[in-house]
Amino acid sequence: MRWLAFHPLVVLLWVGPVLLAPVSSAQESKKDELQPIPTVDLKRNTPIEYNTDIAPIFENKCFVCHSGKITEGDFDMSSYDKLMKGGRKRGAKVIIPGKPEESFLFLACARRARPIMPPKTETPLTPHELSLLKLWIEQGAKAPTTTRVRTKVVVSLPPALVRPVRAVVVAPDGKQVIASRGNQIHVYTAQKKQDPGKKEVLDWVYQRSLVDPNVKFPDGKPAGAAHVSLVESLAISPDGKTLASGSFQEVILWDLASGQIRQRLTGFADRVTALAFSGDGKYLATGGGPPSEEGELKLFDAASAQLVAEIRNAHSDTVFALAFSPDGKYLASGAADKFVKVFEVPSGKLVKSFEGHTHHVMGVGWTPDGKRLVSGSADNIVKAWDFDKGEKIRDMPGHQKQITALVVVGKTPQFLTVSGDTTARLWNADNGATIRQFSGAGDFLYAVAASPDGEVVATGCEDGLVRLYNGKTGALLKALAPEETAPKK
Ligand code: HEC
C-alpha cells in the first residue's frame, strides 16, 4: 500500500543521497567520479540491527534491481535469508560475517570492487550508510531481531526522472505553478503564444528550479536540489512573493522573483509535512512530527521567520494538513491521529476537536464564512463539520481510495480533493455534491492546488507528472513532465 510511503524509515532513506560537502576542483574531474566512498566513525554503542539499520538502505538503493520480479545477477535481497545466499556468481561469499574487507557486497558498495553497486547510474550509498553496512558485517552480519513492517520501495533520487509529485501550488495570479519532485522544486509559468489559427493562447513552460547551492552530491557536484531530503510540502504567500517548502527538519522561504533563499527555518523534530500561510500573509504555520509520537505544530511570523507559538501535543501523530480560517483567527489541523483540531491564533489554545475519521486526515479547509470545515482522509471520505456546534454535518463519499490532499478554491464554498484512485474531484461544501471530476492521471495522486478564481487546477502524481486542468470545464490543458526540467544537452 502506498501509505507506507509515510513510514519513518522512508524518510531516513530519502535523507541519504546528497551531502553537504565542499567542492574542490579535483573532485569535479571526470575520472574521479568513481572514487571509493569513505566510511565514517559512527559512534554507535548499540548493535546494528538488520531490520532497523540495514534493510532500509537495501530497500531504497538495491531493491529496484534485486527484489520482486527483478533479481539482477540472480541476487535476491528481499529477505535476510535470501540475501545471505548471495547471487549466481559469488554465492554466499557476497557477505562473509565478521569480514567486511572480504565481502564483495561491502566492497562493491564502497566502489572498491567491480561491478560497483549500485551501478553508477544510481544513487550511491552515503558514507553513513556504508559505515552501517560495514559495522553490521563486522558484528557478524546477524539476522534480524525485530519484526519489520515493509515499506514501499522508493525509487532512488537523482537518476530516476520519474519522481512522484508530492506537493503543488498555484500562484494567486494563476500564472505560476510550482511543484516538488523528490528533493527538487520546479517552477512553471504561463506564457502567451499563438496557436496555428493565430489565436493567442496560454502555454505552460518550465521556468526554473529552486536550488539550494549547498546541497551537493558526495562527489561535490551541485545536486540541483532544493533540500537534502524529500520536499513534503509547499505553500505560497497570498501576495505570491514567497514560497515556503517543507522537508526533513527544515523549511525554506524562497523569494519567487529571484529564486533565491530568503530564510531558513530549522528546529523541527522530523519532516515538515504541512504548511499554510494566513490569509493576510502574516503567519506561516508548519505541521509535521515523527510518526506515532507527537504531531508538531508551529506558528511563525512570516516576515521575520521568528517563532510565534509552538503548540505542544497538538496531535499524537504526524500533522498532514493545515488551514487558517478566513478571518485568520483560527488554525485548523488534520493529522495521522485521525483528528481534525482547531487552535486559536496566535495563542495556540485548543478550541475544538473533531473526531470521526477512521484513518489519517490528509487535508482540511474552511468555508468562506468560517462556519464550516471540510476534511479529507485516508479513509476515502470527505467530512463536513459545523465549527460552532463542533459536530459533523455530513459524510461525502465518492473516492475509491485514500484521499491524499484537500484544498479550498479561493473564497468559494468549493474545494478540491485528490486520491489514490487517480482522480481529482471538485466538491460543493454547501450540499456535499461532486461538481466535477478531473481524470487522465493513470496513477496515485498526492497533491492538488487551484488558482483563487478556480480557473487553473493542478494535480501532482506518482508518475511524476503535474497535470493542469481548466478548472471550469475539467479539460486537461497540459501534463508537465519531469524531463522538461532536465538540463538541455
Ligand atoms: C540498477 C540495477 C542495480 C541496482 C540498483 C543494484 N544492483 Fe547489484 N547487480 C546489478 C546487476 C546487473 C548485477 C549483475 C552484475 C554482474 O553479474 O556482472 C548485480 C550484482 C550484484 C551482486 C553480485 C551477486 C553475485 O553473486 O555475484 C551484489 C552483491 C550486488 N549486486 C549488490 C547490490 C547492492 C548491495 C545494491 C544496493 C546497494 C545493488 N546491488 C543495487 C544491478 C543492480
Side-chain angles (χ1 to χ4, degrees):
M1 243 173 51
R2 286 255 157 59
W3 265 108
L4 299 170
F6 293 112
H7 192 277
L9 287 172
V10 177
V11 182
L12 294 175
L13 308 176
W14 285 87
V15 182
V18 275
L19 290 179
L20 296 160
V23 204
S24 78
S25 52
Q27 279 175 310
E28 275 177 349
S29 80
K30 253 243 157 68
K31 71 172 181 293
D32 290 339
E33 233 175 62
L34 295 184
Q35 270 188 352
I37 297 169
T39 50
V40 292
D41 181 8
L42 287 176
K43 303 197 170 63
R44 266 287 281 241
N45 40 31
T46 51
I48 305 288
E49 203 281 321
Y50 181 77
N51 277 340
T52 320
D53 298 305
I54 303 301
I57 304 172
F58 289 165
E59 204 166 301
N60 192 32
K61 301 214 164 148
C62 321
F63 271 26
V64 220
C65 302
H66 291 293
S67 79
K69 283 188 192 146
I70 306 169
T71 48
E72 292 287 2
D74 282 338
F75 185 37
D76 186 344
M77 302 178 67
S78 59
S79 73
Y80 173 82
D81 293 334
K82 286 178 182 162
L83 173 81
M84 297 309 282
K85 284 197 187 112
R88 184 176 51 225
K89 275 200 196 136
R90 297 168 188 85
K93 282 195 216 129
V94 293
I95 296 172
I96 301 171
K99 298 179 179 166
E101 291 294 332
E102 291 169 34
S103 301
F104 174 76
L105 187 137
F106 168 71
L107 296 171
C109 287
R111 305 188 146 189
R112 287 166 49 201
R114 298 203 177 224
I116 63 159
M117 287 294 146
K120 80 169 185 224
T121 50
E122 309 295 311
T123 313
L125 264 57
T126 64
H128 181 81
E129 290 171 332
L130 187 68
S131 311
L132 282 171
L133 188 59
K134 186 176 183 200
L135 192 54
W136 172 67
I137 299 176
E138 249 163 36
Q139 293 177 351
K142 296 216 179 76
T145 56
T146 60
T147 48
R148 174 173 158 76
V149 185
R150 271 232 177 280
T151 60
K152 170 179 174 275
V153 178
V154 177
V155 184
S156 54
L157 267 181
L161 279 173
V162 176
R163 282 172 220 152
V165 177
R166 288 287 186 127
V168 67
V169 290
V170 179
D173 65 1
K175 301 266 161 57
Q176 245 178 355
V177 168
I178 305 162
S180 76
R181 291 188 179 92
N183 60 2
Q184 302 185 351
I185 298 176
H186 302 141
V187 181
Y188 300 88
T189 52
Q191 294 186 352
K192 287 184 185 132
K193 73 161 193 195
Q194 291 191 337
D195 71 3
K198 297 262 185 253
K199 232 179 74 197
E200 210 164 65
V201 291
L202 279 184
D203 187 30
W204 288 88
V205 292
Y206 166 70
Q207 186 196 3
R208 66 158 141 232
S209 297
L210 299 180
V211 173
D212 177 349
N214 291 321
V215 180
K216 301 197 172 119
F217 288 122
D219 64 4
K221 292 210 183 84
H227 289 269
V228 171
S229 184
L230 196 70
V231 181
E232 303 264 2
S233 50
L234 293 174
I236 192 161
S237 62
D239 63 7
K241 289 187 179 152
T242 305
L243 180 82
S245 60
S247 184
F248 187 69
Q249 297 184 336
E250 71 173 3
V251 170
I252 292 179
L253 298 181
W254 306 83
D255 177 65
L256 276 174
S258 65
Q260 302 292 307
I261 294 177
R262 212 189 76 194
Q263 263 137 340
R264 198 185 291 268
L265 282 55
T266 54
F268 301 97
D270 204 276
R271 299 169 298 157
V272 177
T273 36
L275 288 167
F277 281 98
S278 58
D280 58 5
K282 189 170 179 338
Y283 296 113
L284 172 69
T286 68
S292 310
E293 285 179 34
E294 197 194 316
E296 191 178 55
L297 239 180
K298 293 185 182 190
L299 200 60
F300 292 86
D301 179 274
S304 67
Q306 293 297 308
L307 184 67
V308 176
E310 173 161 9
I311 307 172
R312 299 232 172 244
N313 299 311
H315 287 271
S316 61
D317 208 332
T318 311
V319 174
F320 284 117
L322 290 171
F324 283 91
S325 62
D327 62 8
K329 288 189 181 146
Y330 303 107
L331 175 67
S333 59
D337 65 2
K338 308 168 193 165
F339 278 93
V340 173
K341 293 192 179 182
V342 175
F343 301 90
E344 200 177 74
V345 175
S347 72
K349 199 179 120 229
L350 179 68
V351 179
K352 290 249 157 84
S353 188
F354 300 88
E355 190 176 2
H357 278 299
T358 58
H359 211 321
H360 299 19
V361 177
M362 302 304 294
V364 286
W366 296 81
T367 52
D369 56 10
K371 290 192 158 56
R372 283 159 299 154
L373 285 150
V374 282
S375 57
S377 161
D379 63 13
N380 308 358
I381 304 286
V382 177
K383 289 182 192 288
W385 311 89
D386 184 310
F387 176 51
D388 288 330
K389 290 189 189 141
E391 289 169 1
K392 188 179 85 179
I393 302 168
R394 66 169 68 86
D395 280 346
M396 296 179 229
H399 278 300
Q400 303 300 306
K401 283 190 183 162
Q402 62 258 49
I403 293 164
T404 49
L406 178 154
V407 65
V408 171
V409 180
K411 296 188 168 82
T412 73
Q414 299 185 356
F415 65 95
L416 288 151
T417 53
V418 279
S419 158
D421 70 9
T422 79
T423 66
R425 274 171 190 257
L426 180 69
W427 306 78
N428 182 339
D430 289 339
N431 59 15
T434 298
I435 301 166
R436 193 166 294 119
Q437 282 202 52
F438 301 86
S439 50
D443 212 335
F444 203 93
L445 291 171
Y446 291 108
V448 66
S451 55
D453 61 7
E455 290 280 346
V456 182
V457 168
T459 64
C461 186
E462 169 77 15
D463 64 8
L465 296 178
V466 174
R467 288 183 178 77
L468 296 179
Y469 296 90
N470 178 326
K472 304 289 171 184
T473 64
L476 179 67
L477 301 174
K478 192 163 185 180
L480 304 163
E483 286 79 8
E484 292 162 42
T485 65
K488 299 267 179 306
K489 292 261 164 68

